[in-house]
């Protein structure tokens, strides 16, 4: 885990600023991890904390320690549907839509991610984000999409039925999710059921 983390460190990493308590806690928790995929998650967690100390709380470290590989896989699949609207925001509109279901994201798996504390799932009303000006840029894995609203200010959009918890928001950056081109194309298509 340490070797993999060292390989991912950028030149500006602040390893000397890592808290000794945090490091001791981290190694206590990941001591017996043998699965290679989970080791990669742990190494990205360590590299992220070494790059910007204070990014990951001890609670998030404990959370990762409690995850099994199937939880990690499910969360990685879920994170393919994440846009940046100032902060990571999952766009899950219809839990029965094929685009989600073929990656194992459905009502049951969303309830599971909610129950283990990675997301907050509101199956009926969903969530909205407010406060957009006339124009806004949303980013999907670094790709900008420009939105123009009717009003000059105080615009809002429906952002779907899930939000990240604090732990989920910290882990989305290191979970290893990749861009889903089919989802992106459907999301920006006018009148799509996945429309942003």
């Amino acid at each position: 885990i340490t070797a993999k983390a060292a390989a991912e460190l950028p030149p500006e990493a602040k390893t000397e600023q890592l808290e000794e308590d945090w490091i001791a806690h981290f190694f206590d928790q990941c001591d017996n991890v043998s699965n290679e995929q989970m080791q990669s998650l742990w190494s990205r967690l360590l590299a992220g904390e070494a790059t910007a100390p204070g990014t990951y709380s001890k609670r998030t470290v404990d959370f990762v320690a409690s995850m099994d590989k199937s939880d990690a896989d499910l969360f990685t699949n879920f994170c393919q549907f994440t846009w940046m609207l100032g902060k990571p925001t999952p766009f899950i509109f219809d839990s029965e839509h094929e685009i989600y279901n073929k990656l194992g994201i459905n009502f049951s798996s969303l309830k599971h991610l909610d129950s283990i504390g990675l997301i907050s799932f509101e199956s009926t009303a969903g969530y909205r984000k407010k406060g957009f000006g006339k124009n806004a840029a949303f980013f999907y894995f670094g790709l900008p999409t420009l939105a123009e609203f009717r009003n000059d200010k105080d615009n809002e959009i429906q952002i779907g039925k899930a939000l990240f918890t604090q732990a989920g928001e910290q882990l989305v950056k290191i979970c290893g999710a990749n861009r889903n081109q089919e989802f992106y194309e459907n999301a920006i298509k006018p009148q799509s059921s996945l429309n942003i």
Side-chain angles (χ1 to χ4, degrees):
I1 289 171
T2 307
K4 286 179 182 178
E8 294 184 32
L9 284 178
E12 68 274 11
K14 302 174 175 120
T15 52
E16 70 283 350
Q17 292 179 21
L18 279 168
E19 254 185 49
E20 285 183 29
D21 285 352
W22 190 95
I23 292 172
H25 185 71
F26 175 89
F27 285 112
D28 279 349
Q29 296 296 337
C30 71
D31 192 35
N32 295 317
V33 176
S34 58
N35 178 276
E36 195 168 325
Q37 183 183 342
M38 294 304 287
Q39 285 180 352
S40 291
L41 179 62
W42 281 100
S43 66
R44 289 192 296 270
L45 179 59
L46 179 57
E49 183 68 15
T51 302
T55 301
Y56 300 100
S57 65
K58 286 183 184 176
R59 182 175 295 165
T60 298
V61 171
D62 291 341
F63 189 89
V64 174
S66 72
M67 288 176 78
D68 57 30
K69 185 179 178 301
S70 63
D71 290 338
D73 288 343
L74 179 61
F75 185 65
T76 298
N77 285 345
F78 175 84
C79 289
Q80 288 184 35
F81 307 111
T82 301
W83 287 71
M84 287 299 292
L85 278 68
K87 63 181 188 175
T89 306
F91 276 28
I92 306 288
F93 294 101
D94 175 5
S95 61
E96 299 310 313
H97 195 289
E98 176 195 7
I99 210 156
Y100 304 120
N101 293 174
K102 62 185 172 185
L103 289 167
I105 305 302
N106 52 43
F107 182 85
S108 173
S109 62
L110 290 167
K111 289 298 281 179
H112 176 68
L113 289 171
D114 182 289
S115 71
I116 64 173
L118 284 169
I119 67 169
S120 173
F121 176 51
E122 172 52 61
S123 63
T124 50
Y127 298 99
R128 303 184 81 70
K129 187 166 174 75
K130 303 177 179 182
F132 293 103
K134 180 74 173 168
N135 298 292
F138 305 147
F139 293 85
Y140 180 67
F141 286 82
L143 186 65
T145 298
L146 301 176
E148 186 175 338
F149 295 95
R150 287 195 187 104
N151 303 323
D152 288 335
K153 59 180 184 174
D154 299 327
N155 294 290
E156 63 177 54
I157 61 166
Q158 182 78 28
I159 56 172
K161 299 184 176 187
L163 290 176
F164 287 112
T165 60
Q166 182 182 5
E169 201 171 297
Q170 289 180 0
L171 293 176
V172 69
K173 303 168 196 160
I174 60 167
C175 72
N178 294 310
R179 175 194 218 307
N180 182 320
Q181 188 64 23
E182 183 186 7
F183 165 71
Y184 173 73
E185 288 172 5
N186 272 281
I188 63 170
K189 196 185 297 179
Q191 310 308 317
S192 166
S193 60
L194 303 175
N195 202 330
I196 62 169

